[in-house]
Amino acid sequence: MDSTRHRLAILHPRRSLGTVFALSFACVTAATTLLGGVLSYNAAARMVRVDQDDVFHGVVDDLHQQVSQQRLSPTDYFSVSPDTESPRDDLSRRIRTDVQVLGRAGRVEERGFPALPVRAADRAAASHARAGHTVYYKAEIQGDRYRVATVALGGGRGAVQVAQQYSDTEDLLRELKERTVELSAAVLVVAGLAGWWLARRIAGRLVRLTQVAEDVARTGRLDTSVPVAGPDEVGRLGRAFDGMLGRLAASEEVQRRLVQDAGHELRTPLTSLQTNVALLDRIDRLPPQAKADLIADMKSETRELVNLVNELVDLAAGDRGAEQPREITLGALAGDAAALARRRTGREIRIEADDAVVRARPDAVQRALTNLLENAAKFDQDGTEPIEVVITGTRVEVLDRGPGIAEADLPRVFDRFYRADGARSLPGSGLGLAIVHAVAVTHGGTAFARNRAGGGAVIGFTVDPASLVEHRPHTTPMADCAATPR
């Protein structure tokens, strides 16, 4: 598996987010610049070429009109004094046009500057009978490129050649293309550098956060410092990751303490059972009273061990069970818990509850109520007064008339396996109230304990007020759950 991953890493090397961002930014910028440059160059080149071509054809059209409307001869297009205007001037006025005059059979009567080539098609035009017959072509003259048009004077009298140089325009357009390419390359380089800089600014914190996550995955250390700066999404991610590591660290610490405390608490009943089991080999030789005490002690320790294991399982499961919250009436749930506690303890339980309906996990809440009632019955062994359950909205209280709780023990009554000095001789695992606290926390509430005026204790819990679905504030006394004589 490791070798396969190594080969895949070689074939597909990892790219950092900064590299990907810089490349993406550069590619987008390059594509945009290239598209803009191509479109701009094509538009400019098209405009220049079309403009020059229109001008040249305009000159040719003027010449065509001259020879068609008048009977002109080659001499009419000879160069004359600057003070005298001739048809030749009309041709060269609009653009720098090179004019060359051909006589009969295509003989050159007056050369242009530079001299234009005379081809067979030009000689044919000079001998053409129809005035205005035109021949177009392109030619290279002395290293420059020209558009050439030969227009017949008619009647075989000759022809006039006009030429327009366009190589300088093409050179200009070629230089414009080179400049566009150079500018695009410069923009690409600048875009790459800007993308790299932005990537370091934007993705730098993500890279550091990734390194922290990889360090945590590699070392398993949850106390690693997490970069959480910034109000943006990256900062929120860092804070969320830091909070998650904090909760994982706290959960790991709670789990470690639970294992240690559970091992300590399990050792006592297991040691007692081991001692009693060792005596089973000699049970036939024990006196009847010792035999009865041995069996009773084994039953008591086994029951204590079963209760401890069950409560450990419930506490370790927490809110990870499959039970989903639903709407429940706390008063009705308290009635069910009171009936169960009555069968187990034989105590009278009185309930005063309103009609509050909350959204909660019924089994978990009932377990918390049952633990509170059994805890009250365990400490209020006199039993002269009923145990009271008072439910108001999302608040549940269980009141007893026992000895109360020492002030030093009040802050710790909900700790796991904590047992006050006066309770060490009583049965129990020290997990009942811890489960109450866990149920309250998972429902967005708190657990509380205080001493009751006139003696006794008040222990209870609350659930999240937001879970309250319906609340009728008047209190309805429910039927007392009285004990059946046993």
Side-chain angles (χ1 to χ4, degrees), residues 197-211:
W197 181 78
L198 286 174
R200 287 181 59 86
R201 294 274 302 190
I202 298 175
R205 288 178 295 159
L206 280 177
V207 172
R208 291 193 295 272
L209 192 60
T210 303
Q211 292 173 348

Side-chain angles (χ1 to χ4, degrees), residues 364-404:
V365 175
Q366 184 169 354
R367 180 61 190 272
L369 283 164
T370 302
N371 286 0
L372 288 175
L373 291 172
E374 291 182 352
N375 180 79
K378 178 174 67 175
F379 285 96
D380 186 8
Q381 296 183 352
D382 185 26
T384 56
E385 294 188 25
I387 298 172
E388 299 177 25
V389 179
V390 178
I391 298 176
T392 306
T394 58
R395 185 181 181 87
V396 178
E397 296 181 346
V398 175
L399 301 85
D400 64 65
R401 283 299 183 184

Side-chain angles (χ1 to χ4, degrees), residues 265-266 268-274 276 291-309 419 424-429:
E265 293 296 327
L266 287 170
T268 300
L270 287 175
T271 301
S272 178
L273 284 173
Q274 187 178 22
N276 292 332
K291 185 186 300 184
D293 291 342
L294 176 62
I295 295 174
D297 188 54
M298 291 187 68
K299 288 181 178 180
S300 174
E301 294 295 342
T302 302
R303 184 168 55 252
E304 190 73 16
L305 183 61
V306 169
N307 291 337
L308 179 59
V309 170
R419 304 181 73 181
R424 298 190 182 278
S425 60
L426 299 176
S429 62

